[in-house]
Amino acid sequence: MDFNEVLTGRRSIRKYKEGAITKEQIEELIKAAQAAPTWKNSQTGRFYVVLSDEKKKEFAEKCLPPFNQKNTENAAAYIVTTFVSHRSGFEKTGEPTNELGDEWGAMDLGLQEENLVLKAYEMGFGSLIMGVRDGQAISEFFDIPEIEHVGAVISVGLSDIAPEAPKRRDLEQILKVY
């Protein structure tokens, strides 16, 4: 599959069929995430994975709203992303380099999440990046250190649907060249 096929073929999947993903396949996804650029190579992204059926059910019930529980039923895994705060976008003195501060950590994590879902698609898996989740419950579920900010929950599994591509804005609406 060439890169343009990956870019244009990946969709947010809200219906999965039964199927497993291995620890080795998860490791491939995380390696793809690690390949993303980060602020001064700070690599502050962290990944927490739920694979067992029992833990997936518990995680969904405790950490996701009902509509995302339904959207991710039968997903093979949940991957929670976090980033270490006060590293990306900060000087060694602890001062933010510019007005964005920790937003650089969130941006780095977004780049890693994009790599992860593109790799999942290339490997034959569907995925859904969810921002509507209970961050506090997730932190408790995984015992995430206070220095880490919870980013997204990404479901990964075998797609049971083939959604059409959503309409994209015309370039004239989003591009300004000077």
Side-chain angles (χ1 to χ4, degrees):
M1 182 177 308
D2 81 11
F3 188 63
N4 280 330
E5 287 178 87
V6 173
L7 286 178
T8 59
R10 189 221 56 86
R11 298 281 174 274
S12 294
I13 300 302
R14 291 177 175 85
K15 187 173 182 192
Y16 295 93
K17 58 186 171 186
E18 298 268 339
I21 188 169
T22 66
K23 182 179 181 240
E24 292 74 25
Q25 289 170 315
I26 291 290
E27 289 171 353
E28 272 191 73
L29 296 177
I30 303 309
K31 285 178 185 175
Q34 281 185 302
T38 60
W39 174 279
K40 296 183 181 179
N41 198 31
S42 56
Q43 302 181 49
T44 64
R46 303 293 183 266
F47 305 89
Y48 299 81
V49 180
V50 184
L51 282 178
S52 80
D53 288 339
E54 181 182 312
K55 285 293 188 185
K56 286 188 299 188
K57 184 175 192 278
E58 179 186 351
F59 175 83
E61 289 173 357
K62 288 183 176 179
C63 303
L64 298 177
F67 68 91
N68 273 337
Q69 290 177 39
K70 183 178 184 299
N71 286 340
T72 60
E73 187 177 3
N74 295 324
Y78 289 111
I79 302 172
V80 170
T81 64
T82 73
F83 71 92
V84 178
S85 65
H86 290 85
R87 299 254 305 274
S88 287
F90 288 82
E91 299 299 323
K92 289 181 182 177
T93 62
E95 293 298 312
T97 299
N98 63 31
E99 75 283 358
L100 293 179
D102 261 338
E103 291 176 38
W104 284 106
M107 183 167 55
D108 288 351
L109 188 61
L111 294 169
Q112 292 179 316
E113 292 163 346
E114 177 72 4
N115 275 15
L116 190 152
V117 299
L118 291 176
K119 183 65 174 177
Y121 180 74
E122 182 204 40
M123 293 170 63
F125 294 107
S127 62
L128 177 65
I129 300 174
M130 295 170 276
V132 181
R133 76 293 182 272
D134 185 333
Q136 183 61 42
I138 290 169
S139 290
E140 291 170 8
F141 187 89
F142 290 107
D143 196 25
I144 294 173
E146 284 186 31
I147 196 165
E148 292 179 35
H149 291 293
V150 174
V153 176
I154 303 173
S155 58
V156 179
L158 298 175
S159 178
D160 201 19
I161 56 173
E164 288 190 31
K167 182 172 177 6
R168 299 295 180 193
R169 294 178 189 223
D170 293 330
L171 284 181
E172 294 78 25
Q173 295 178 285
I174 65 166
L175 174 65
K176 297 198 184 323
V177 178
Y178 298 91

